[in-house]
Amino acid sequence: MLERRADGFYVEDVALDRIADDVGTPAWVYSSAAITSRLMRLQAAFAGFDHRICFSVKANSNLSILKLFRDAGAGFDIVSGGELERVLAVEAVPETIIFSGVGKRIDEVDFALKVGIGCFNVESAAELDRLAARAALLGRVAPVSLRINPDIDARTHPYISTGLKESKFGIPMSQALDIYRYASRNPALAIHGIDCHIGSQISDREPLLQAFDAMLQLRSELLEAGIPVRHLDLGGGLGIAYQNEPDFDVEGYGAAIARRLRGEDLQVFFEPGRFLVGNSGLLLTRVEYLKPGVTPADRSFAIVDAAMSELIRPALYSAFHEVVPLGPTDQNARVWDVVGPVCESADFLAKDRHLALAQDQLLAILSAGAYGSVQSSNYNTRPRAVEVLVSGTGFKTVRRRETLRELLANERECL
Ligand code: LLP
């Protein structure tokens, strides 16, 4: 999404130094054209079969971005009452909302039942009981899928791998049929589908297709048991390029699903997050100080005004984000660690990068549109950064920079 031109670095037709001058740093910058084109690419890849794309709100829950998705016809995958409030704020169609997550509270279940969401992805028998009881109490029928844990290795980082049997997520395949039978006897529940999500940042479609095959198999067993389902939910997980990895081949994935579906009257749901927004956002930051090493054995540090409190992915998952210095430098390239001001050794954004840097220079930390801002914190009493959405030759602030007054308000009133 970042383009180098003769007179600077651009996102769409907006120069990044213009944004930095206007809103300051650190700042999250998103491209609406990039987001929309990713969604269109997915829609085209899945055009061969009946499908629904539910953007996984946890990846980037900014209201203006949710509105982009809403306007482009996407549904939403939510995991909390808070995320439900967000998608309702952009007038999501209730039918297109699906509710995932292992720990849905009673108030969240009630909220979603009253809204009339499209489906609850249920993760345990206990949750099924709670859902049925609340639906009966409210005089509703809860639409459900069971999230199956197919015990498949998604071959990704252990913290974002969710489909192995040691994971807390989903219902083991061996118990699925019994729990479906149990659910089918309860008039407060309507069985809509089968759900699965085996992990995130998956680069290879094979594990996902294995999960799909497992769901197709279960769907046949359910049919034999007189329990038809109308959709299969493949979750999210499509990986993106952070460094030199190839982008997930969504076209090949779509074609493989279409082949498996031939003639079947089934809708397929997807819950992509990262694929839609990851490469469509960057974190704009400024170098505060340079601390070059003195001897060749020393490390050199570039201390910037963004930190792990903004982008925790490098600290948490050893994630790689490309760092691009924007504009004039002293040309004395050397190997730098790009670090933040937070008092933790884990506070780094990049390590061992060969860069030409200068004090006060702007840097873009790329591929930060997914699990960036949403995972940010106020650690070290750092106000949350501003978010900006670029569209053509213009940009607008889609979340103001938090103020210290706001940050302290909940405590000041308790003094
Ligand atoms: N559906 C469910 C049930 C999920 O748990 C997730 C992500 C998604 C969909 C969307 O997955 P995606 O398409 O974005 O891979 N914080 C981590 C990622 C955690 C993913 C959690 N679940 C990171 O920064 O890499």
Side-chain angles (χ1 to χ4, degrees):
M1 78 182 251
L2 185 65
E3 195 189 325
R4 179 181 211 139
R5 296 188 190 166
D7 63 340
F9 285 84
Y10 284 73
V11 168
E12 300 188 35
D13 287 321
V14 177
L16 280 176
D17 50 4
R18 200 180 122 204
I19 296 179
D21 287 347
D22 211 65
V23 302
T25 53
W28 303 96
V29 180
Y30 309 117
S31 157
S32 53
I35 294 172
T36 314
S37 83
R38 292 295 271 193
L39 178 63
M40 282 165 53
R41 186 170 154 207
L42 266 197
Q43 286 166 335
F46 302 153
F49 51 90
D50 188 8
H51 70 274
R52 174 172 288 167
I53 295 172
C54 296
F55 172 61
S56 192
V57 174
K58 66 170 85 66
N60 188 320
S61 58
N62 185 285
L63 293 181
S64 297
I65 286 178
L66 298 182
K67 187 163 184 317
L68 273 185
F69 284 117
R70 156 78 176 82
D71 292 346
F76 296 101
D77 166 48
I78 58 162
V79 290
S80 68
E83 289 189 351
L84 180 52
E85 193 72 45
R86 282 181 179 276
V87 300
L88 292 178
V90 299
E91 292 169 11
V93 179
E95 171 65 24
T96 66
I97 304 169
I98 53 182
F99 196 167
S100 304
V102 285
K104 303 177 191 78
R105 288 193 316 252
I106 287 176
D107 61 304
E108 294 175 315
V109 164
D110 287 1
F111 185 15
L113 282 169
K114 286 178 193 158
V115 165
I117 66 161
C119 197
F120 290 85
N121 289 338
V122 174
E123 302 229 10
S124 62
E127 184 190 331
L128 204 57
D129 285 339
R130 171 175 286 179
L131 192 53
R134 299 311 298 178
L137 203 72
L138 295 170
R140 315 265 165 152
V141 174
V144 297
S145 286
L146 297 191
R147 175 169 175 183
I148 302 307
N149 183 334
D151 195 19
I152 289 168
D153 186 356
R155 301 195 275 267
T156 182
H157 190 284
Y159 284 9
I160 51 178
S161 189
T162 51
L164 282 170
K165 66 174 186 288
E166 60 262 33
S167 133
K168 71 177 175 181
F169 298 101
I171 292 170
M173 210 45 152
S174 55
Q175 298 169 22
L177 200 53
D178 282 346
I179 299 181
Y180 268 106
R181 280 207 184 92
Y182 175 71
S184 72
R185 290 193 290 268
N186 195 320
L189 301 172
I191 293 170
H192 278 209
I194 308 174
D195 171 49
C196 192
H197 170 82
I198 60 170
S200 196
Q201 185 55 11
I202 301 171
S203 50
D204 170 15
R205 66 174 177 262
E206 279 315 313
L208 287 160
L209 291 172
Q210 273 175 37
F212 191 61
D213 288 338
M215 286 197 288
L216 280 172
Q217 171 65 31
L218 176 60
R219 182 247 185 181
S220 307
E221 291 167 22
L222 285 172
L223 260 186
E224 275 170 35
I227 308 173
V229 296
R230 51 169 111 153
H231 77 248
L232 302 182
D233 182 340
L234 265 164
L238 315 180
I240 62 167
Y242 283 98
Q243 201 166 358
N244 305 313
E245 316 89 309
D247 228 12
F248 190 95
D249 173 15
V250 287
E251 291 75 20
Y253 184 45
I257 293 169
R259 274 197 300 278
R260 286 165 163 78
L261 276 173
R262 220 180 346 219
E264 300 282 2
D265 179 23
L266 270 175
Q267 196 177 28
V268 185
F269 286 12
F270 298 91
E271 306 166 359
R274 190 188 317 265
F275 185 85
L276 293 173
V277 290
N279 291 139
S280 313
L282 58 81
L283 176 59
L284 191 58
T285 182
R286 200 178 280 285
V287 176
E288 294 282 358
Y289 304 102
L290 293 179
K291 213 159 72 157
V294 178
T295 73
D298 297 336
R299 299 191 80 84
S300 296
F301 298 100
I303 300 151
V304 301
D305 64 5
M308 67 188 295
S309 51
E310 280 71 45
L311 187 64
I312 201 174
R313 302 194 69 259
L316 200 54
Y317 318 108
S318 310
F320 179 97
H321 287 265
E322 197 177 329
V323 177
V324 181
L326 308 179
T329 65
D330 61 5
Q331 296 309 318
N332 292 324
R334 63 158 77 209
V335 174
W336 297 98
D337 287 352
V338 179
V339 303
V342 162
C343 305
E344 298 265 353
S345 296
D347 180 25
F348 63 92
L349 298 173
K351 283 195 168 167
D352 296 320
R353 303 296 171 86
H354 193 75
L355 301 166
L357 297 180
Q359 187 162 336
D360 298 328
Q361 183 185 345
L362 286 172
L363 307 180
I365 316 285
L366 302 189
S367 305
Y371 307 106
S373 163
V374 286
Q375 293 198 115
S376 65
S377 77
N378 291 123
Y379 189 36
N380 284 203
T381 305
R382 292 168 55 82
R384 280 191 166 76
V386 61
E387 293 178 81
V388 162
L389 183 62
V390 175
S391 195
T393 54
F395 67 94
K396 68 170 187 166
T397 294
V398 289
R399 177 178 170 145
R400 286 191 288 104
R401 188 181 302 285
E402 194 170 29
T403 64
L404 287 174
R405 176 189 287 270
E406 286 165 335
L407 215 163
L408 266 58
N410 289 346
E411 296 158 60
R412 219 193 275 279
E413 72 191 28
C414 302
L415 272 179

